[in-house]
Structures are given as structure tokens and as C-alpha cells.
Amino acid sequence: MSTTTTPTAEPEQLEPQPAPASRGRRLLHRLVRPATAALSGVLLYLSFPPRPLWWLAVPAFALLAGCLRGRTWKAGFGLGYLFGLGFLLPLLVWTGVEVGPGPWLALAAIEALGVAAAGAGMAVVSRLPGAPVWAAAMWIASEAARARVPFGGFPWGKLAFGQADGVFLPLAALGGTPVLGFAVVLCGFGLYECVRQASRLRATGAVRGGAAAVALATLLAPVAAALAATGLVSDAAEKGTATVAVIQGNVPRLGLDFNEQRRAVLDYHIRETLRLADRVRAGKAAKPDFVLWPENSSDVDPYTDAQAYNDIDRAAKAIGAPISVGAVVERPDGQLFNEQVLWDPRTGPGATYDKRQIQPFGEYIPLRGLIKQFSPGYVSMVRQDFSRGTKAGVFDMAGTRVGIATCYEAAFDWAVRDTVTHGAQIISVPSNNATFDRSEMTYQQLAMSRVRAVEHSRTVTVPVTSGVSAVIMPDGEVVQKTGMFTPDSLVAKVPLRSSRTPATRLGTAPEWALVALAAAGLGWAVSRTVRARRAPGTDVGGGR
């Protein structure tokens, strides 16, 4: 009898499961780019004042370049957003000093969207020949957009404003803040390309000569251009000199409610001016040709308050020189203006300048009805919106043409340039930083004024209610400054200049040229991708 044997079934083979350590490594690998993008944004923040670490901007953009190379636009958008948050969250923390974290977080989150858009564009152009050039133009295009929208724009955090101590600063005189910022990004992306080419050489023993040359050029050309542009920077007097006095009266207390003691703020500035007058009579200080007070130095309207009028007039007569007084003025029709008033010691108040670029959510509330639904307390702090001025501010002060760009306006290219094209021989940036406590805001704004001095080759004075007030020479050097929250006065002989730098003459032309360059690079990259997709068997990946 035969026996049939049934074969025994093989046991089911289970796929080996990855070890937990392997999964952890993969997760860590996926987090490297996002973490690097965020940390490189922090590195960019650290390059800004009050730290003199301007050079950190170059490795910050080199790291960003490494994160973005070969990524899709969606990945670039996300990585750019992380970079933007890493940069803007610490940079703008001062916006929440008195009103809490809500406005600060919202502002940083919204502004980071512009950086995210730059990241998306940079990722798209990252495989083009000469990628650093296209990427740098993309960054400037995003800055141009952020300086205009929403609500008139918010240029704070422009890359150029972190370079007041840097080797690239002379480029501000060549093409303004756009050319200065372009050079920094170009150098950073060029640094990454040089490292990438060196790594390829080490791994394969060979690199393409053209690619290596382009990488080296994009690293060195911005530095060479900056060195060549130093001839545009000068502090020599062209129209003689003037002796200017800057008054910092200080405020009775910090915070938003300092305005509740408006009379005290005015009294402090009068007192400091009278002290300076005593020093002049005693021969301890040079007699100024004119005197500059800060923004909000007289929130008591001198046109309607007889005591304020008489006290300012007394100070002007005591110092024997015209004073530019920062006042809050309400017109008969009810309009409210943040105004600089030219006060003559003989004839009293005369010419005025009304601030044109007023600050959203500070001097007026956009979408007031809608915002009130979410934050009625915040809206109530700005009970009445300020109105905008319409004309450039240039005062004739004892024969010197003094251009006025009030506080927030210093961040806007057009507002400062406008004073020079209307004949300003020096520029004054009257400001009020008392609402921002001892934050970095005042140092960031001081750096802006230093860049503006070089950009237009003009002395820039910065009278501030509570510091830091300063006198800046046309080469960007701070020759005098005060401490914070101390009454003080500065007296300095400064050069008067009338020539115009290439940046002043060109205006917005360099910025629009770089925007057009970014658009051209984006168009080229998209057309290459479309052609590649139509070609059979072509892999047009590009990473995630």
C-alpha cells in the first residue's frame, strides 16, 4: 500500500521591521532641513543691531541656499516660512512690549509669508546656471513687496538695515538698500556654491570649470563691488558747515501711558533746551545754528494751548535759534496730524511738515470696525486716526536746508530720498521710542539712519524723546549719541552736502531692475521645467 505525504506548509515569512533606531534616524534626517532653515533665520537676526555681527548674514544665506537647492516650490515655501519666523520673531519682539504677544506674533507670522514666497522662488531657480544671482534677486523682490503691502508695507527687517557696520555698506550709495541687500544674499548663496563645488571636487576629483568659476565670482564680486564703491562715501563739507543741537528731554515714565503726561514731556524738552542755553552762555557749549526736538516732544497742541505756545517760544528765544518741534496738532476741521513745526525765536511758529507714512495699528487702525470685534481694548488705544501729510518736509533753518523724515518714515526708501531731491543738505529723523521700553527697536532704527546717511551722503541727526539720540556723519559714523532714558543734548558741527549719490539719482530704478531679474529667472526656470516634462524619458524631479 502506498502512502501519500502532504507537504508541510512553509511558515509565513514576515518582512523584517525596521529597528526603532532606524526609524528615528529617518525622522531626524527629515527634520534636518526645516531645523536648519529656522536656525539660519535666527542667525540672520543675530546679524542685526545692537550686535555688530553683520557678517553672520552671509553664512545665514549660505545655509538657506543648502536647504532650498533642488526643492520644489512648495517645499521652498515651507522652508522659507521657517527661515522667516526664525528671523522675524526675535527681530520684532519689541512690537509686543506694551500690548502683549498677540500683535507681535501676528505681525511676524504675516511678514514671514513674504519670506516664504522668496523661499519658493529661490527653490524654483536653484537649478539654473548662476543660481545665486537669481536667488538674490528673488529676495529683493520679496522685500519690495513687503515694503508696499499690506497697509502701505512694513520694510522693517530689510536686509540692508543690518549692514550699518559691514563691508557692504558703501553699496548703499551706489544703488540704495536694494543693491546693498542683493550683494549680501549673493555673497551668501555664492559661499554655498563654493562649498558645494569643493565637496564635489573632494568626492569625484573633478568639477566643471564654468560652474566653479561662477561660484567663486558670486562669492567675491559683491565684496569687490563694495570696496570699489567706497569712493562714493565722503563726509567732506560741500556747502560749508552748520552747528546743530539735538535735544533729548526724556519722558516721565515708560510705556504707552507716557502720553498721559504730555505736559511733563514738553516741560522736559523745554528744560533741557534751557540748560543748553545756559551752557552756551557759559562758554561750555558751541552756540547752535538750529535745534532739533523729537517726535511727540509737544503732544500738547501749541496752537490751541497758550501755555505750551509761550513755553516753546521762551525756549527758542533763550537758545537764540530756530527749533523743529514735534507736535500733535488738531486742525479746525478735526483732522489730527503728527507734525514738525519750525519755531523761529523772533516770529514764532512757521513752516510745518505733516508725517506722510503713518504707522498702521499705531497712528491709525486699518479696518477699524473689523479689528474692534476681536480686540476692542487695543482699538480704544488709538481713539482717533491720524491724517497723512502730502508734501515733502524740508525746513530752511538759519540758512540750512534740513530734510525731515519722522520716525517710522526712516524705514521707507522714498520718504528719505524725497527730502534730498527737494534740496535737503542734512536729514533729521525725529523719533519717539518711549513706548518700546529698553528693547532693540531703538538700535535697529539707529542703524537705518546710518544706512540712510551713506545712501544719500548726508549728515543724519536722530533726536529721540528717550534715546538713543545721535548725530551721524555722511559716511555712517556715529560721532555723538546719548544713553537711553536720560535727559541730554548733543551739539555738533556737521558738514553740509549738496551732491547726489547714484542711489539718490536712480531712485527706485535698481529695485525694479532686480524685481525684473527675479521675474526673468522664475520664467526661465518654469520654461525649462515645462520643456523637460514634454521630453520623453526625462526625469525632472527636483526633490521635495
Side-chain angles (χ1 to χ4, degrees), residues 15-342:
E15 289 188 14
Q17 295 297 312
S22 177
R23 286 198 298 269
R25 280 195 297 271
R26 286 209 303 272
L27 177 61
L28 184 62
H29 179 72
R30 295 180 70 175
L31 291 176
V32 167
R33 283 180 189 267
T36 302
L39 290 174
S40 59
V42 174
L43 201 63
L44 180 60
Y45 155 71
L46 292 174
S47 74
F48 272 66
R51 295 158 297 277
L53 304 176
W54 58 270
W55 52 270
L56 285 178
V58 174
F61 279 101
L63 289 171
L64 179 64
C67 292
L68 296 177
R69 178 171 172 77
R71 302 292 94 184
T72 64
W73 72 266
K74 291 181 181 179
F77 187 91
L79 293 167
Y81 194 71
L82 291 172
F83 179 84
L85 290 178
F87 170 47
L88 294 169
L89 277 171
L91 186 81
L92 302 179
V93 69
W94 53 267
T95 60
V97 166
E98 293 295 334
V99 295
W104 159 51
L105 295 174
L107 178 62
I110 292 169
E111 289 297 310
L113 290 172
V115 181
M122 288 171 164
V124 170
V125 301
S126 64
R127 290 188 178 275
L128 291 179
V133 176
W134 309 110
M138 207 67 65
W139 179 268
I140 299 306
S142 77
E143 284 195 340
R146 289 194 292 122
R148 290 168 172 82
V149 293
F151 311 125
F154 187 74
W156 214 280
K158 258 192 169 185
L159 184 54
F161 297 149
Q163 296 296 308
D165 289 304
V167 69
F168 299 105
L169 181 60
L171 291 171
L174 181 64
T177 60
V179 169
L180 174 51
F182 176 83
V184 176
V185 182
L186 181 62
C187 193
F189 273 69
L191 174 61
Y192 166 74
E193 284 298 320
C194 285
V195 171
R196 193 170 72 87
Q197 294 298 327
S199 298
R200 175 178 292 179
L201 178 62
R202 204 162 42 244
T204 66
V207 293
R208 287 179 297 174
V214 169
L216 193 60
T218 54
L219 173 64
L220 298 180
V223 178
L227 294 175
T230 55
L232 300 173
V233 181
S234 173
D235 62 359
E238 295 174 330
K239 294 291 182 178
T241 61
T243 301
V244 56
V246 171
I247 301 296
Q248 177 176 300
N250 203 15
V251 296
R253 61 175 179 262
L254 312 188
L256 291 172
D257 60 352
F258 90 95
N259 278 314
E260 294 177 7
Q261 295 195 19
R262 294 175 298 172
R263 181 73 225 186
V265 175
L266 173 57
D267 288 345
Y268 286 5
H269 285 83
I270 291 168
R271 182 176 64 190
E272 197 57 39
T273 305
L274 295 176
R275 284 177 178 170
L276 176 60
D278 289 342
R279 290 171 56 213
V280 169
R281 282 192 293 271
K284 296 179 180 178
K287 185 181 186 305
D289 297 310
F290 52 90
V291 179
L292 302 171
W293 282 10
E295 177 189 36
N296 299 124
S297 48
S298 178
D299 278 357
V300 180
D301 187 341
Y303 294 105
T304 59
D305 188 297
Q307 185 65 49
Y309 184 105
N310 291 334
D311 287 346
I312 296 171
D313 202 53
R314 178 165 59 94
K317 284 179 167 58
I319 197 67
I323 303 175
S324 178
V325 178
V328 173
V329 174
E330 185 172 358
R331 301 282 168 78
D333 61 3
Q335 290 190 90
L336 197 64
F337 288 92
N338 185 339
E339 189 167 272
Q340 287 287 314
V341 181
L342 176 54

